[in-house]
Amino acid sequence: MLRAWEHVPPSALDQLVFQALVPADHYLRRVKAILDFEQLRPLLAECYPSSMGRPAIEPVLMLKLEFLQYHYNLSDREVMEQAMVNVAFRFFLDLSLKSSVPHHTSLSYFRERLGPEQHQRVFDGVVSQARQHGLVKDRLRLKDATHVIANIALPSTIRLVAQTRQQLLQAVRGYAGSRVASEEAKAQQIHETTADLSGEERLLQRVVHLRSIVGWVDALAAEPPAANDTVLTEALGLAHKVLADREPAPSCAKADKVVSVHDPDARTGKHGDWYQGFQLDVSMDADSEIVTALDVQPANSDEAANTAALIGHEEASQGNDVAAVSIDGIGYRGDVLRELTDPKSLNLEVFVPPTERPSLERFGAEQFTLNDEGTVLTCPAGRTTASWKRNKHDSGKKFRFSRATCAGCPLRDKCLDNPEQCSGRAVNKSDYEAEYRQAQGKAQTEEYRQVRKEHPRIERKLADMVRWHGARRARYRGRPWVWLQGLLTGIVVNIKRMVRLLTPPTLPLRAELAGDG
């Protein structure tokens, strides 16, 4: 239940102490001057029932504690300890010198009460205040991502399967206690009898055992009351995924393997080196360097495709219209370019480095022309073919000229890698040829060169979040909670940037602003 804040306000003596001990240019004084936390109160109040439950701790106080925790990179316990003895913290929190502070576990309850979705709205509220100050413009967004290492110890594959089995048995124990005891005895027998076998055989026997358990648990979970058990449903879903990961699969599916039962959302990705965890995806206003949208995805997610979601969320929450976006080379993909530039959707101007392709001695695909229906291809010599099929990536058509069509062609030496080959020429025509040509043309302009000079700002912003605010390693487990961590980090760096931009230049900048360029 949310009630009016019943606290002891700072007395006249407290104010004198604050005035004497908290310098006029202290960072927390500046934060209080430029950010109106009371504007965020309605967002927090939505998470509390108005007339039931125990009286809640003041939510604005809890939000301020979260801000202090992430700005100074503290744990729940450490931020409460500092709030008890740090005069600047008490001034910022509007606590008198006699006021008590909440127990450190209150921060966990507060995070769970708001959840990542409501923290997203708080993040959007801070961006909205930056817009009210006239800081955020809609000229250009810079977009990039960095990696977040999951808060897990990586098990071996054998151990992963064993942990999955044990988690599933624990979830179903209440519905089939004797059957679970029998399966646990069998698991122990497998452990003892396979100790001297090869790793491959040990894994195989555990996988076979897990598959047999999943078989009967599937039948049990289809009937009530087990069908309504969320814990059992999640454990069973995880077991199915772990078993599917052990099956032969196309190479494109290998990167989606579960790496831990303790954080089933974590995946293996590559950011320089291989890592297990997530990626922090950020869109930033190029003019103010305010982070306008932020997301956290599993490490193997499609970073380029997430650009539209970031810009779309910002425009939906702020009611603005972004004009352009700059992305690294990962965004040079036809489907991404089409989605971002679609006049009926985001209608963005996209600045992306085209992939450098080696110069060819033979005719390139761009020198072959399609008819309006896209069914007939004409070569530079004027010969045609209507023989085609979709390419293996389903991103275009692969046309093939017959041997007879290419025979005797005067341009054969300039068209085929080996003019003596028996077959005719094969040509891939992308569905996104127009988008690629547009991106290549833009890359030759002076405007493009100026925009690319601005792009390193987003890399410095990510470095700030990583170095000073602990964004490199996940504090929590599960994608929603790592996303919450990312949102709080984004709130902190945005407030830090607002302070820098709105602080009178006559006041010196203190160490609290370290890392904000």
Side-chain angles (χ1 to χ4, degrees):
M1 179 178 67
L2 185 61
R3 62 178 180 182
W5 188 8
E6 298 178 5
H7 81 299
V8 180
S11 65
L13 178 60
D14 294 331
Q15 297 292 357
L16 288 174
V17 172
F18 293 150
Q19 185 176 355
L21 297 182
V22 183
D25 67 334
H26 194 281
Y27 174 67
L28 294 181
R29 280 193 183 274
R30 300 181 184 188
V31 173
K32 288 190 72 172
I34 61 99
L35 192 76
D36 185 2
F37 280 91
E38 285 301 316
Q39 277 193 30
L40 305 174
R41 180 181 292 277
L43 299 176
L44 306 177
E46 292 176 6
C47 300
Y48 294 83
S50 58
S51 59
M52 59 183 295
R54 297 176 61 187
I57 300 173
E58 161 59 26
V60 173
L61 170 66
M62 300 303 294
L63 181 61
K64 287 183 174 182
L65 284 165
E66 280 192 327
F67 166 77
L68 292 172
Q69 177 183 14
Y70 275 78
H71 181 80
Y72 294 102
N73 203 16
L74 303 172
S75 67
D76 291 356
R77 187 184 298 271
E78 288 170 339
V79 73
M80 293 304 185
E81 290 174 350
Q82 284 293 313
M84 285 191 286
V85 300
N86 190 313
V87 175
F89 277 30
R90 284 188 169 267
F91 164 77
F92 177 73
L93 296 169
D94 291 312
L95 294 176
S96 73
L97 299 181
K98 296 182 179 179
S99 298
S100 60
V101 299
H103 193 268
H104 65 86
T105 56
S106 301
L107 275 172
S108 296
Y109 294 127
F110 181 72
R111 281 193 299 271
E112 291 178 7
R113 180 179 290 275
L114 264 64
E117 290 78 14
Q118 204 68 5
H119 277 90
Q120 174 70 74
R121 297 186 65 189
V122 173
F123 173 89
D124 294 336
V126 173
V127 174
S128 179
Q129 290 198 34
R131 295 185 68 88
Q132 293 169 21
H133 285 292
L135 299 179
V136 180
K137 311 299 180 185
D138 297 329
R139 175 183 68 90
L140 175 66
R141 294 292 175 266
L142 308 177
K143 189 267 182 196
D144 205 349
T146 191
H147 63 289
V148 180
I149 300 172
N151 183 17
I152 54 176
L154 289 177
S156 65
T157 305
I158 291 175
R159 186 63 181 157
L160 173 65
V161 173
Q163 289 174 348
T164 304
R165 177 193 63 209
Q166 189 57 39
Q167 187 178 85
L168 180 59
L169 291 176
Q170 187 61 34
V172 78
R173 188 183 301 277
Y175 305 100
S178 59
R179 184 76 181 265
V180 168
S182 173
E183 298 289 3
E184 288 178 334
K186 184 175 180 180
Q188 181 61 30
Q189 181 185 13
I190 291 173
H191 174 74
E192 294 172 354
T193 57
T194 62
D196 297 330
L197 299 180
S198 67
E200 183 176 349
E201 180 62 27
R202 292 170 64 206
L203 175 61
L204 176 61
Q205 292 205 27
R206 284 159 176 80
V207 168
V208 170
H209 185 208
L210 176 59
R211 187 174 288 114
S212 69
I213 294 173
V214 167
W216 65 263
V217 174
D218 269 336
L220 187 150
E223 302 292 337
N228 301 319
D229 190 330
T230 304
V231 174
L232 176 57
T233 301
E234 291 178 354
L236 185 57
L238 177 61
H240 275 291
K241 181 68 176 70
V242 170
L243 288 174
D245 291 344
R246 311 278 79 77
E247 297 292 337
S251 58
C252 59
K254 291 181 180 178
D256 194 44
K257 289 185 176 181
V258 172
V259 296
S260 169
V261 299
H262 302 296
D263 191 344
D265 295 336
R267 290 293 184 271
T268 298
K270 192 170 187 180
H271 197 275
D273 292 327
W274 293 100
Y275 74 100
Q276 285 73 37
F278 305 87
Q279 53 178 293
L280 174 63
D281 206 4
V282 170
S283 172
M284 185 184 80
D285 173 38
D287 296 299
S288 63
E289 299 186 20
I290 296 290
V291 176
T292 55
L294 181 151
D295 196 9
V296 167
Q297 295 290 327
N300 65 331
S301 295
D302 190 342
E303 177 194 336
N306 202 40
T307 306
L310 290 174
I311 303 295
H313 173 83
E314 179 194 345
E315 292 185 348
S317 62
Q318 304 297 328
N320 62 329
D321 186 15
V322 176
V325 63
S326 173
I327 324 172
D328 279 338
I330 195 173
Y332 185 68
R333 235 177 56 199
D335 57 333
V336 173
L337 294 171
R338 178 172 292 181
E339 183 178 20
L340 296 176
T341 57
D342 184 358
K344 296 180 181 179
S345 183
L346 294 174
N347 195 25
L348 294 167
E349 188 175 8
V350 181
F351 298 88
V352 57
T355 301
E356 294 187 7
R357 299 185 181 277
S359 58
L360 301 174
E361 296 182 1
R362 63 176 186 169
F363 294 131
E366 67 279 358
Q367 293 172 277
F368 292 73
T369 57
L370 273 174
N371 66 347
D372 293 340
E373 292 76 21
T375 56
V376 177
L377 186 70
T378 304
C379 75
R383 304 188 180 193
T384 62
T385 181
S387 174
W388 61 270
K389 62 180 181 179
R390 298 296 296 178
N391 62 25
K392 64 179 181 179
H393 300 296
D394 198 29
S395 61
K397 297 175 180 177
K398 184 175 182 179
F399 287 84
R400 183 171 292 280
F401 291 85
S402 68
R403 176 183 179 184
T405 301
C406 293
C409 176
L411 301 179
R412 184 180 177 90
D413 290 346
K414 296 181 179 180
C415 189
L416 299 175
D417 288 333
N418 179 15
E420 304 301 325
Q421 70 186 47
C422 296
S423 60
R425 173 70 188 270
V427 179
N428 276 299
K429 295 295 283 186
S430 172
D431 294 339
Y432 309 105
E433 202 167 80
E435 285 80 9
Y436 285 129
R437 282 200 302 267
Q438 184 180 18
Q440 291 163 3
K442 191 181 297 294
Q444 306 306 314
T445 64
E446 180 60 28
E447 181 186 16
Y448 170 86
R449 285 187 281 273
Q450 294 302 319
V451 167
R452 294 308 295 177
K453 288 181 181 179
E454 299 182 64
H455 197 84
R457 296 176 186 174
I458 183 67
E459 296 169 359
R460 291 195 293 268
K461 182 63 67 174
L462 290 171
D464 178 16
M465 299 171 77
V466 167
R467 181 178 181 185
W468 299 103
H469 305 292
R472 176 63 73 229
R473 294 186 176 275
R475 289 177 177 239
Y476 317 114
R477 292 172 176 170
R479 183 254 165 189
W481 300 106
V482 181
W483 177 33
L484 182 149
Q485 176 184 342
L487 290 168
L488 285 169
T489 306
I491 290 170
V492 163
V493 297
N494 277 350
I495 293 174
K496 185 162 65 170
R497 185 62 182 168
M498 291 167 66
V499 168
R500 179 176 287 274
L501 295 175
L502 298 173
T503 296
T506 54
L507 292 176
L509 295 174
R510 298 175 63 86
E512 287 88 345
L513 291 174
D516 183 65

